[in-house]
Amino acid sequence: MKNYLCDNAHEVEKNIPDDTTASELADFLKIFADMTRIKILYALLDMELCVHDIAMILNMEQSAISHQLRVLRQNKLVKVRKEGKSSYYSLNDSHIHEILIRGYEHISE
Amino acid sequence: MKNYLCDNAHEVEKNIPDDTTASELADFLKIFADMTRIKILYALLDMELCVHDIAMILNMEQSAISHQLRVLRQNKLVKVRKEGKSSYYSLNDSHIHEILIRGYEHISE
DNA sequence: CGCACATATGAACGTTAACTCATACGTTCA
DNA sequence: TGAACGTATGAGTTAACGTTCATATGTGCG
């Protein structure tokens, strides 16, 4: 069993992100790698929406939306504003906005 | 139970990608949303590598690497060149190259 | 040919993750 | 205060996914 590498092995290794970095990047991408969350984020592109309205628009259960909003909230992608009985969600900052726009560019290729 | 939406509902809906589009985007991002695949792709950034060497560099079993290379291959992110006993993998095109570079930029924020 | 090496692949296993259901919490209003 | 509404959340179910193990396929070499 060969247990050595080609001469360029060290050159390759310098490109590979370490475990924590790779894990963080993977976790970040996992947030966007879900159809429901993608739809929610694009729904919030122009304006804030309450949970009930998102559920109506996406034709999904309120509970499912609430669970996914929790994920987005915990990862700082959206923020909440409570008013009366409702919770209004919106994109956390323009950074997320830009990422979604880029996503659209990729889709239309 | 309220079953109507705010006046801007139709404006929101135009932003939301349809099911197939959202699903395709999610599936595309899922490929990158895994630590092992991320490492493999970055390992291939500068040069082609055979399965055994990737397994050595990432300190993982050959079988695990082979399975993940299959995923990357089926999604056209890498290509194979067979020579002798070995299979040499490399990034499929410069497009993937560019995506990974951008990923690095995001990491270092 | 027979053996070692390199890779691919199917089955099994454990884990993660998304949805549903039931329910709790909080708010508004009669 | 009690009912209706909006939201959050824990438990349970199911499906998808990544890894390991065992094994098959393929190549080169003595």
Side-chain angles (χ1 to χ4, degrees), chain B residues 51-69:
Chain B
V51 181
H52 177 265
D53 282 357
I54 298 175
M56 289 288 299
I57 293 171
L58 299 192
N59 195 30
M60 291 180 64
E61 298 220 353
Q62 170 267 323
S63 179
I65 300 298
S66 194
H67 277 295
Q68 295 305 334
L69 283 170

Side-chain angles (χ1 to χ4, degrees), chain A residues 2 5 8 12 15-16 19 21-22 28 30 33 35 39 42-43 46-47 52-53 56-57 104 106-107, chain B residues 2-3 5 8 12 15-16 19 21-22 28 30 33 35 39 42-43 46-47 52-53 57 104 106-107:
Chain A
K2 196 175 74 159
L5 296 169
N8 300 316
V12 171
N15 284 332
I16 304 176
D19 271 37
T21 306
F28 179 75
K30 277 197 184 87
M35 199 176 82
K39 287 185 180 178
Y42 277 105
D46 285 343
M47 74 181 86
H52 177 264
D53 282 359
M56 289 289 298
I57 294 171
Y104 242 139
H106 184 86
I107 296 174
Chain B
K2 198 176 73 162
N3 57 358
L5 295 169
N8 299 317
V12 171
N15 284 332
I16 304 176
D19 272 36
T21 306
F28 178 75
K30 277 196 185 85
M35 198 176 82
K39 287 185 182 179
Y42 278 105
D46 285 342
M47 74 181 84
H52 177 265
D53 282 357
I57 293 171
Y104 243 138
H106 185 84
I107 296 175

